[in-house]
mmCIF file of all heavy atoms in Angstrom:
data_model
loop_
_atom_site.group_PDB
_atom_site.id
_atom_site.type_symbol
_atom_site.label_atom_id
_atom_site.label_comp_id
_atom_site.label_asym_id
_atom_site.label_seq_id
_atom_site.Cartn_x
_atom_site.Cartn_y
_atom_site.Cartn_z
ATOM 1 N N ILE A 144 -18.737 -131.026 -67.397
ATOM 2 C CA ILE A 144 -20.071 -130.584 -67.795
ATOM 3 C C ILE A 144 -21.045 -130.877 -66.654
ATOM 4 O O ILE A 144 -21.182 -132.035 -66.251
ATOM 5 C CB ILE A 144 -20.570 -131.296 -69.065
ATOM 6 C CG1 ILE A 144 -19.603 -131.089 -70.224
ATOM 7 C CG2 ILE A 144 -21.962 -130.797 -69.444
ATOM 8 C CD1 ILE A 144 -19.996 -131.835 -71.488
ATOM 9 N N PRO A 145 -21.728 -129.855 -66.103
ATOM 10 C CA PRO A 145 -22.760 -130.119 -65.101
ATOM 11 C C PRO A 145 -24.034 -130.596 -65.793
ATOM 12 O O PRO A 145 -24.500 -129.985 -66.751
ATOM 13 C CB PRO A 145 -22.958 -128.754 -64.430
ATOM 14 C CG PRO A 145 -22.577 -127.758 -65.481
ATOM 15 C CD PRO A 145 -21.532 -128.419 -66.345
ATOM 16 N N ILE A 146 -24.578 -131.702 -65.316
ATOM 17 C CA ILE A 146 -25.802 -132.262 -65.899
ATOM 18 C C ILE A 146 -26.902 -132.205 -64.846
ATOM 19 O O ILE A 146 -26.827 -132.899 -63.830
ATOM 20 C CB ILE A 146 -25.600 -133.712 -66.365
ATOM 21 C CG1 ILE A 146 -24.512 -133.776 -67.440
ATOM 22 C CG2 ILE A 146 -26.902 -134.304 -66.899
ATOM 23 C CD1 ILE A 146 -24.185 -135.186 -67.904
ATOM 24 N N GLN A 147 -27.903 -131.383 -65.074
ATOM 25 C CA GLN A 147 -29.006 -131.249 -64.137
ATOM 26 C C GLN A 147 -30.208 -132.054 -64.610
ATOM 27 O O GLN A 147 -30.600 -131.962 -65.768
ATOM 28 C CB GLN A 147 -29.404 -129.780 -63.971
ATOM 29 C CG GLN A 147 -28.351 -128.933 -63.287
ATOM 30 C CD GLN A 147 -28.842 -127.536 -62.960
ATOM 31 O OE1 GLN A 147 -29.897 -127.117 -63.407
ATOM 32 N NE2 GLN A 147 -28.078 -126.804 -62.165
ATOM 33 N N GLY A 148 -30.763 -132.830 -63.724
ATOM 34 C CA GLY A 148 -31.976 -133.583 -64.013
ATOM 35 C C GLY A 148 -33.069 -133.204 -63.038
ATOM 36 O O GLY A 148 -33.060 -132.114 -62.459
ATOM 37 N N ARG A 149 -34.017 -134.127 -62.840
ATOM 38 C CA ARG A 149 -35.146 -133.851 -61.945
ATOM 39 C C ARG A 149 -35.389 -135.034 -61.026
ATOM 40 O O ARG A 149 -35.134 -136.183 -61.386
ATOM 41 C CB ARG A 149 -36.405 -133.537 -62.758
ATOM 42 C CG ARG A 149 -36.281 -132.238 -63.561
ATOM 43 C CD ARG A 149 -37.546 -131.905 -64.336
ATOM 44 N NE ARG A 149 -37.399 -130.659 -65.064
ATOM 45 C CZ ARG A 149 -37.644 -129.452 -64.556
ATOM 46 N NH1 ARG A 149 -38.087 -129.354 -63.303
ATOM 47 N NH2 ARG A 149 -37.481 -128.370 -65.276
ATOM 48 N N ASP A 150 -35.892 -134.722 -59.838
ATOM 49 C CA ASP A 150 -36.197 -135.783 -58.892
ATOM 50 C C ASP A 150 -37.549 -136.411 -59.235
ATOM 51 O O ASP A 150 -38.191 -136.051 -60.227
ATOM 52 C CB ASP A 150 -36.148 -135.263 -57.456
ATOM 53 C CG ASP A 150 -37.212 -134.216 -57.160
ATOM 54 O OD1 ASP A 150 -38.198 -134.094 -57.925
ATOM 55 O OD2 ASP A 150 -37.073 -133.512 -56.141
ATOM 56 N N ALA A 151 -37.970 -137.352 -58.387
ATOM 57 C CA ALA A 151 -39.215 -138.078 -58.665
ATOM 58 C C ALA A 151 -40.441 -137.170 -58.645
ATOM 59 O O ALA A 151 -41.487 -137.513 -59.214
ATOM 60 C CB ALA A 151 -39.388 -139.204 -57.644
ATOM 61 N N ASN A 152 -40.316 -136.001 -58.014
ATOM 62 C CA ASN A 152 -41.427 -135.049 -57.969
ATOM 63 C C ASN A 152 -41.375 -134.033 -59.107
ATOM 64 O O ASN A 152 -42.238 -133.154 -59.187
ATOM 65 C CB ASN A 152 -41.414 -134.308 -56.628
ATOM 66 C CG ASN A 152 -41.621 -135.244 -55.460
ATOM 67 O OD1 ASN A 152 -42.450 -136.154 -55.523
ATOM 68 N ND2 ASN A 152 -40.866 -135.035 -54.387
ATOM 69 N N GLY A 153 -40.361 -134.138 -59.954
ATOM 70 C CA GLY A 153 -40.244 -133.212 -61.077
ATOM 71 C C GLY A 153 -39.466 -131.948 -60.772
ATOM 72 O O GLY A 153 -39.373 -131.057 -61.618
ATOM 73 N N ASP A 154 -38.902 -131.851 -59.578
ATOM 74 C CA ASP A 154 -38.121 -130.671 -59.205
ATOM 75 C C ASP A 154 -36.672 -130.820 -59.673
ATOM 76 O O ASP A 154 -36.121 -131.925 -59.667
ATOM 77 C CB ASP A 154 -38.146 -130.473 -57.688
ATOM 78 C CG ASP A 154 -39.546 -130.202 -57.165
ATOM 79 O OD1 ASP A 154 -40.308 -129.511 -57.862
ATOM 80 O OD2 ASP A 154 -39.878 -130.687 -56.060
ATOM 81 N N VAL A 155 -36.072 -129.703 -60.057
ATOM 82 C CA VAL A 155 -34.697 -129.719 -60.560
ATOM 83 C C VAL A 155 -33.731 -130.128 -59.456
ATOM 84 O O VAL A 155 -33.815 -129.661 -58.315
ATOM 85 C CB VAL A 155 -34.302 -128.342 -61.114
ATOM 86 C CG1 VAL A 155 -32.810 -128.301 -61.471
ATOM 87 C CG2 VAL A 155 -35.131 -128.001 -62.344
ATOM 88 N N ILE A 156 -32.812 -131.022 -59.789
ATOM 89 C CA ILE A 156 -31.720 -131.389 -58.890
ATOM 90 C C ILE A 156 -30.545 -130.461 -59.196
ATOM 91 O O ILE A 156 -29.996 -130.510 -60.297
ATOM 92 C CB ILE A 156 -31.300 -132.852 -59.089
ATOM 93 C CG1 ILE A 156 -32.484 -133.788 -58.799
ATOM 94 C CG2 ILE A 156 -30.107 -133.190 -58.203
ATOM 95 C CD1 ILE A 156 -32.191 -135.248 -59.075
ATOM 96 N N PRO A 157 -30.153 -129.611 -58.265
ATOM 97 C CA PRO A 157 -29.069 -128.668 -58.556
ATOM 98 C C PRO A 157 -27.734 -129.374 -58.695
ATOM 99 O O PRO A 157 -27.383 -130.231 -57.876
ATOM 100 C CB PRO A 157 -29.076 -127.735 -57.339
ATOM 101 C CG PRO A 157 -29.661 -128.563 -56.247
ATOM 102 C CD PRO A 157 -30.670 -129.471 -56.889
ATOM 103 N N VAL A 158 -26.999 -129.018 -59.734
ATOM 104 C CA VAL A 158 -25.640 -129.518 -59.948
ATOM 105 C C VAL A 158 -24.775 -128.312 -60.290
ATOM 106 O O VAL A 158 -25.135 -127.519 -61.170
ATOM 107 C CB VAL A 158 -25.580 -130.549 -61.092
ATOM 108 C CG1 VAL A 158 -24.138 -130.971 -61.352
ATOM 109 C CG2 VAL A 158 -26.450 -131.762 -60.773
ATOM 110 N N SER A 159 -23.656 -128.152 -59.611
ATOM 111 C CA SER A 159 -22.832 -126.977 -59.867
ATOM 112 C C SER A 159 -21.400 -127.215 -59.394
ATOM 113 O O SER A 159 -21.124 -128.119 -58.607
ATOM 114 C CB SER A 159 -23.411 -125.748 -59.151
ATOM 115 O OG SER A 159 -23.415 -125.948 -57.747
ATOM 116 N N PHE A 160 -20.507 -126.386 -59.889
ATOM 117 C CA PHE A 160 -19.126 -126.372 -59.416
ATOM 118 C C PHE A 160 -18.520 -125.020 -59.749
ATOM 119 O O PHE A 160 -19.055 -124.257 -60.570
ATOM 120 C CB PHE A 160 -18.300 -127.505 -60.043
ATOM 121 C CG PHE A 160 -18.237 -127.502 -61.546
ATOM 122 C CD1 PHE A 160 -17.329 -126.703 -62.222
ATOM 123 C CD2 PHE A 160 -19.089 -128.303 -62.285
ATOM 124 C CE1 PHE A 160 -17.259 -126.702 -63.613
ATOM 125 C CE2 PHE A 160 -19.040 -128.314 -63.673
ATOM 126 C CZ PHE A 160 -18.122 -127.510 -64.336
ATOM 127 N N THR A 161 -17.414 -124.708 -59.111
ATOM 128 C CA THR A 161 -16.674 -123.474 -59.360
ATOM 129 C C THR A 161 -15.274 -123.847 -59.822
ATOM 130 O O THR A 161 -14.725 -124.867 -59.396
ATOM 131 C CB THR A 161 -16.590 -122.612 -58.083
ATOM 132 O OG1 THR A 161 -17.912 -122.300 -57.638
ATOM 133 C CG2 THR A 161 -15.835 -121.309 -58.337
ATOM 134 N N ALA A 162 -14.712 -123.040 -60.712
ATOM 135 C CA ALA A 162 -13.353 -123.294 -61.191
ATOM 136 C C ALA A 162 -12.679 -121.974 -61.516
ATOM 137 O O ALA A 162 -13.340 -120.993 -61.878
ATOM 138 C CB ALA A 162 -13.374 -124.194 -62.428
ATOM 139 N N ASN A 163 -11.368 -121.950 -61.378
ATOM 140 C CA ASN A 163 -10.590 -120.808 -61.844
ATOM 141 C C ASN A 163 -10.375 -120.982 -63.341
ATOM 142 O O ASN A 163 -9.861 -122.014 -63.780
ATOM 143 C CB ASN A 163 -9.252 -120.733 -61.129
ATOM 144 C CG ASN A 163 -9.407 -120.421 -59.649
ATOM 145 O OD1 ASN A 163 -10.498 -120.107 -59.190
ATOM 146 N ND2 ASN A 163 -8.319 -120.511 -58.909
ATOM 147 N N SER A 164 -10.761 -119.990 -64.124
ATOM 148 C CA SER A 164 -10.713 -120.160 -65.575
ATOM 149 C C SER A 164 -10.271 -118.888 -66.277
ATOM 150 O O SER A 164 -10.338 -117.789 -65.725
ATOM 151 C CB SER A 164 -12.094 -120.569 -66.107
ATOM 152 O OG SER A 164 -13.037 -119.526 -65.931
#
Side-chain angles (χ1 to χ4, degrees):
I144 303 177
I146 299 177
Q147 293 188 349
R149 294 182 179 273
D150 64 17
N152 297 319
D154 297 323
V155 173
I156 300 176
V158 176
S159 62
F160 58 83
T161 301
N163 293 351
S164 66

